[in-house]
Amino acid sequence: MSGRTTTPTLPPGAEPPVRHPDAPAPGETIGAHYEYCFGCGGGVPHGLHVEVRAGEGVSVTAEFRVKEAHQGAPGLAHGGVLATALDETLGSLGWLLRVIAVTGRLETDYVRPVPVGTVLHLAAEVRAVHGRKIYATATGRIGGPEGPVAVQAEAVFIEVKVDHFIENGRAAEIQAALADPDQVKVARAFEVNP
């Protein structure tokens, strides 16, 4: 029993998503957008280190290994950590649309416990786009990509401009990111949800 509510109704005028022609190819690793991102960055020792790959259409897949530092109850993943793994995976969908977007709403259902040491197999896809809103869904499965569902989510992301991060982020980190001579890294640092 999941306790899952019905899938939210899309607003009138919502359109099917369109994969951008410059999006990463199916199977291509999307990679971390920022070294100190808790979800995907390598510079956070206890971070999630979620590894995302582009899928077909406007979808992605990812993997997240639950470590001891991710516990809530003894031996089990913390629910907030699982929601973060879903959010990180969903946030990567912007790479396929080639938009900068932030999480506006994330509704998570916890279906079964996820033990420490488990690899959570995540999949996310965009359902529709309406103006600046991006409607998406994600699942996390244990035991393999076709295994039983452990967590699932419905989300709404909101397209923003890079100014959103510059105006709201901490000045020292913003300036350090902008000063990086690698302009690809600069662009990537500001292209996902905060």
Side-chain angles (χ1 to χ4, degrees):
M1 180 172 177
S2 72
R4 184 154 177 75
T5 59
T6 59
T7 301
T9 303
L10 298 174
E15 298 186 4
V18 177
R19 185 188 188 100
H20 192 280
D22 295 329
E28 186 177 327
T29 300
I30 292 177
H33 71 277
Y34 178 58
E35 180 181 3
Y36 297 108
C37 172
F38 181 76
C40 66
V44 182
H46 296 310
L48 305 188
H49 307 141
V50 174
E51 296 178 17
V52 181
R53 291 191 180 278
E56 297 292 333
V58 187
S59 70
V60 295
T61 60
E63 290 187 359
F64 159 57
R65 180 175 297 280
V66 179
K67 299 177 184 166
E68 286 187 24
H70 305 140
Q71 292 181 82
L76 297 173
H78 188 287
V81 168
L82 296 175
T84 301
L86 288 165
D87 186 51
E88 185 67 34
T89 304
L90 286 156
S92 297
L93 291 165
W95 290 102
L96 304 180
L97 298 171
R98 299 292 284 199
V99 299
I100 302 170
V102 297
T103 310
R105 184 167 193 268
L106 178 67
E107 182 177 336
T108 306
D109 291 310
Y110 301 91
V111 180
R112 61 180 28 93
V114 180
V116 169
T118 298
V119 173
L120 190 64
H121 298 269
L122 299 144
E125 67 179 344
V126 175
R127 294 178 51 223
V129 177
H130 185 258
R132 294 177 43 222
K133 293 183 178 180
I134 301 163
Y135 295 85
T137 186
T139 58
R141 297 173 180 270
I142 57 177
E146 303 301 320
V149 172
V151 291
Q152 49 197 9
E154 294 283 339
V156 178
F157 280 75
I158 311 297
E159 186 176 347
V160 297
K161 302 296 181 202
V162 73
D163 294 348
H164 167 85
F165 301 96
I166 294 170
E167 293 168 3
N168 295 293
R170 215 164 53 167
E173 281 86 354
I174 296 296
Q175 290 308 315
L178 291 172
D180 193 312
D182 184 340
Q183 290 303 297
V184 172
K185 284 176 64 179
V186 171
R188 288 182 61 103
F190 299 102
E191 289 191 344
V192 299
N193 54 315

